[in-house]
Amino acid sequence: MTRIVFAPDSFKGTIAAADAARVLAEAWASVDPGVSPVLRPMADGGEGTVAAFAAAVPGARRMPITVDGPAGHPVDTAWLLLPASDDAPDGTAVIDMASTSGIELLDELRPWDADSRGFGQAIAAALDHGVSRLVLGIGSSASTDGGTGMLRALGARFLDARGAETAPGARGLGDIVSADLSGLRPAPEVRVLTDVTNPLTGARGAAAVFGPQKGLTDPSDQQQTDAALERLARVLALDPAVPGSGAAGGVGAALIAWGGTLLPGAAEVAHLIGLADAIAAADAVVTGEGAYDGQSGDGKVPSFVASLAAASGVDAVLVAGRIAPDADLAPFTASASLTEVAGSSASALADTHRWLHEAGRRLALATRGSGPASGS
C-alpha cells in the first residue's frame, strides 16, 4: 500500500488548504485505489492557519466569536482551542488574522481606516477562556495600523498631543504622541507565525512594500505612513529594524512589544501538526499553493515541505495554480500547473476543484510512470 502525505497550502481566494488536500487525495485514489492518504493541510501564518490545525490536531474545537471586521462591520468567525498539553496545561488558542482582520474580508480596500481591532478581540476572547499559549497567524492583513487596533482591543490607549484617543487605522497613526499601556492585558506565551522578515519602516518596511496591496498606492501616502510607524516604534520603545516587525502592517511590531516571539510560519505549523514524522513514514508527499514562483523558496509552504521530504529521502510532488518560468522545480520529482491543465488561468480560477482534481490525477499517473510529469 502506498502512503502519500497531502500537505498543500491554500490556493488563495479559490480553495482552502484542507479542501485542496482532500481533492488531491481523492484524485490519487482514482488512479491508485490502494493509496493510504494522510491529510496534513498546511499554512504559513496566513489564510488557512486555523483550518490547518483543526484538520491535523485531534480534539481541536472551534470557538465561535463575532469581531469588528476591517470593513467596519461585524464578522462572524472563530478561534481554535487545542487540547491541553504538558507545555500548555490550559490549552492553546490558534487565531489567524485572515479570518478576523484580513484583506479577504474587504469588498474594497480601506487603506486609511481598516484596522486590526478584530484580531485583538479574538485574542482577548482566548485570554478570557484562560488558555496557556497563543499561536497567532498574521498573514493576509487588511491594514497598516502598526497593530494599534489589536493593542487597543487588549487594553492599550493611543493618545494625541491633547491626551485624546487617536483615530483607528493608518488615519490616526500620525497623531500618536504617547501610549497608555497601564490597562494592557499581560501576555501568556505568544508564538507569532509569519513568512515575512521585513522591518517595520524604510524601503523594505510595512508601508513601502505591503502598503500598495492595501491601497496605499501614492508614494507620498507611503512616506507619510512610514514616518508615522517610525514614531509609533519610538512610543513603543521598539527598534523598527527588527526583522518581521513590518509583518501584517506592523502587527508584528505590536506583538513583539507585547512580548510575542516571531517564528517562521511554515516551519512552526509543520512542527505543531507533526508533519516531519508523517512525511518520514510516507512514500511521497504532495504539496502546493496558488502561485509558485521565484519567491516561493523563501519560507513558503511548498519549499519547506520539499525540504522535509529531502531530509527523509521521500519524493516531493508539486501542484500549483500557476508555476512561473523562474520557479525552481529541482526539489520536486513531478509538478503540475492548474493554468496549464485547464488551458488558461481564467478556467483554472473558475473551477479550481475540477482542475485541481485533474492535476492530481495526472500527477498520480506520472509518479507511477504512466503519464507526463508536468501539467501540460
Side-chain angles (χ1 to χ4, degrees), residues 176-282:
I176 294 174
V177 299
S178 66
D180 176 2
L181 305 182
S182 61
L184 184 63
R185 300 182 67 158
E189 179 189 356
V190 182
R191 305 169 84 160
V192 185
L193 313 184
T194 178
D195 64 351
V196 168
T197 58
N198 299 67
L200 180 62
T201 60
R204 295 186 59 251
V209 175
F210 305 112
Q213 302 169 7
K214 301 167 188 179
L216 289 175
T217 55
D218 189 313
S220 65
D221 291 340
Q222 296 167 25
Q223 293 165 8
Q224 174 185 333
T225 304
D226 187 72
L229 290 170
E230 181 84 31
R231 289 192 296 274
L232 176 65
R234 291 197 295 270
V235 166
L236 293 176
L238 178 78
D239 180 358
V242 172
S245 59
V251 168
L255 285 169
I256 292 171
W258 193 43
T261 301
L262 269 58
L263 300 164
E268 187 68 7
V269 172
H271 169 70
L272 292 171
I273 68 174
L275 182 60
D277 289 343
I279 290 175

Side-chain angles (χ1 to χ4, degrees), residues 7-21 40-56 62 77-78 80 94-100 102 104 135-141 193 265-266 269-270 273 301:
D9 197 352
S10 65
F11 288 55
K12 280 192 175 180
T14 57
I15 186 169
D19 291 333
R40 288 290 186 274
M42 273 288 289
D44 56 15
E47 178 186 15
T49 298
V50 164
F53 282 99
R62 289 184 180 273
T77 184
L80 191 72
V94 182
I95 305 166
D96 65 43
M97 190 156 207
S99 64
T100 53
E104 295 293 333
V135 175
L136 307 177
I138 61 171
S140 305
S141 70
L193 313 184
V269 172
I273 68 174
V301 165

